[in-house]
Amino acid sequence: MNKKPTLKSSLQALLYLAPMLTISGIFTIFPIFKSIAMSFYTKFNLFTGEVSARGLDNYRTVLTDKNFHAALRNTVIYVIGVVPTTIFISLLIAMMLNSIPFLKGIFRTVYFLPYVTSTVAVSVVWSWLYHSRYGFFNYILGLFGVDAINWLNSPDNALPAVMIMAIWKGLGFNILLLLVGLGNINENYYKAAKIDGANAFRRFTNITIPLLRPTLFLLSTLGVISGFKVFDEVYALFSGRPGPAGSATTLVYYLFQKFYVQFKYGEAAATGIILFVIVLGITLVQNAGNRYLEKRGG
């Protein structure tokens, strides 16, 4: 039986948690508030911490910068293209694996390997696959009489190349969670539906999708957050460049350029805050949609 919390027990619990709360406060909470404050610094010394002027100039500069607009557009295209496609393909593969239990373990390991592999190593391999003359993809296209595609050196193909690699890399994590979700669905639901004459499509839409909704919501939320933070794939695939003519610049790459290349720390902090607000807004919308479907029982 749990005892009713008292002032003494609460203070005792806080004392036990004090070391972790201190570490979290120093390395997590403080940097967040410092970044918010820095986004308003218009004149300051990074090394001495001396601030001469504050204002909204950083936000005005970033929000009126055409390069920021291009980075935001690329990031939105990336999220819209990668997140739904990854979940859809993962669901198809997970359902196939779930129907052949004796191969589930082997293929689960095979699909999960890219997720735990370094993004840099994956990008090096994919840069070979994308090679305009000797790459695997152009070799396959050549078998069907299709002209070779300049994947990594054409502004039109740079972002799609990043998206294809990201979709492949994200399959393992999604498949693993979807297999867990499929495994938790009671088979009696499917047996009852078959007795009532429901075909495979109706069983999928009326049983599988509603019961997988929490898993699908989790994957979509994590996918959107991860998609808006994409940086490693671009940096590694194009050897430190944001694609030809900056065609694959994302929001985090834009922030990276502001901070480490242009040394405009206030604008970099403002970009980070804008990115945070965008992700927070989309996550709240997703959460509201999930609650609405939950109330409807769908």
Side-chain angles (χ1 to χ4, degrees), residues 40 55 127 158 200 223 238 255 257 292:
F40 295 100
S127 65
F238 297 102
L255 188 156
Q257 287 181 317
Y292 173 75

Side-chain angles (χ1 to χ4, degrees), residues 208-230:
T208 305
I209 292 297
L211 293 180
L212 276 181
R213 183 183 46 75
T215 306
L216 295 174
F217 169 69
L218 173 65
L219 292 178
S220 63
T221 303
L222 294 178
V224 168
I225 294 173
S226 175
F228 272 96
K229 295 193 303 179
V230 61

Side-chain angles (χ1 to χ4, degrees), residues 27-289:
F27 295 103
T28 303
I29 306 300
F30 175 74
I32 292 175
F33 285 100
K34 186 64 179 178
S35 298
I36 295 174
M38 186 180 291
S39 68
F40 295 100
Y41 295 169
T42 54
K43 289 184 180 179
F44 77 106
N45 188 318
L46 178 68
F47 302 102
T48 63
E50 183 181 354
V51 182
S52 305
R54 294 180 174 85
L56 296 173
D57 290 352
N58 293 324
Y59 287 96
R60 292 195 191 96
T61 302
V62 170
L63 291 174
T64 56
D65 186 358
K66 63 179 182 180
N67 293 326
F68 172 80
H69 297 161
L72 178 60
R73 182 176 62 251
N74 287 340
T75 307
V76 171
I77 293 173
Y78 176 91
V79 172
I80 292 175
V82 170
V83 176
T85 306
T86 306
I87 293 177
F88 178 72
I89 297 175
S90 301
L91 181 58
L92 289 180
I93 296 174
M95 292 185 66
M96 287 190 288
L97 292 179
N98 197 51
S99 63
I100 43 177
F102 67 101
L103 291 177
K104 191 190 302 183
I106 298 174
F107 281 100
R108 185 167 52 192
T109 304
V110 170
Y111 281 111
F112 196 68
L113 278 177
Y115 184 76
V116 296
T117 305
S118 164
T119 302
V120 175
V122 169
S123 299
V124 170
V125 173
W126 275 76
S127 65
W128 294 342
L129 296 176
Y130 281 137
H131 196 281
S132 57
R133 294 184 60 187
Y134 309 108
F136 175 74
F137 293 129
N138 283 338
Y139 171 76
I140 296 297
L141 293 175
L143 296 178
F144 295 95
V146 179
D147 293 336
I149 297 175
N150 192 1
W151 292 99
L152 301 181
N153 296 312
S154 167
D156 295 331
N157 301 324
L159 188 59
V162 176
M163 293 167 63
I164 293 171
M165 186 185 76
I167 291 170
W168 173 82
K169 192 173 185 301
L171 290 178
F173 181 75
N174 289 7
I175 290 172
L176 187 66
L177 288 189
L178 288 170
L179 280 173
V180 174
L182 289 170
N184 290 330
I185 298 177
N186 194 324
E187 284 295 326
N188 290 332
Y189 292 129
Y190 293 108
K191 292 177 182 177
K194 285 181 181 178
I195 293 173
D196 291 338
N199 57 28
F201 179 75
R202 290 184 65 85
R203 293 197 299 272
F204 174 74
T205 55
N206 294 335
I207 298 176
T208 305
I209 292 297
L211 293 180
L212 276 181
R213 183 183 46 75
T215 306
L216 295 174
F217 169 69
L218 173 65
L219 292 178
S220 63
T221 303
L222 294 178
V224 168
I225 294 173
S226 175
F228 272 96
K229 295 193 303 179
V230 61
F231 172 78
D232 298 359
E233 290 83 351
V234 176
Y235 190 88
L237 191 60
F238 297 102
S239 303
R241 298 178 297 113
S247 55
T249 303
T250 60
L251 279 178
V252 176
Y253 203 101
Y254 176 87
L255 188 156
F256 168 80
Q257 287 181 317
K258 284 289 182 184
F259 196 95
Y260 289 103
V261 180
Q262 301 174 11
F263 306 112
K264 296 179 178 177
Y265 308 114
E267 294 179 14
T271 304
I273 300 304
I274 294 171
L275 176 61
F276 169 76
V277 172
I278 292 173
V279 173
L280 177 64
I282 294 176
T283 303
L284 291 176
V285 171
Q286 286 181 295
N287 191 46

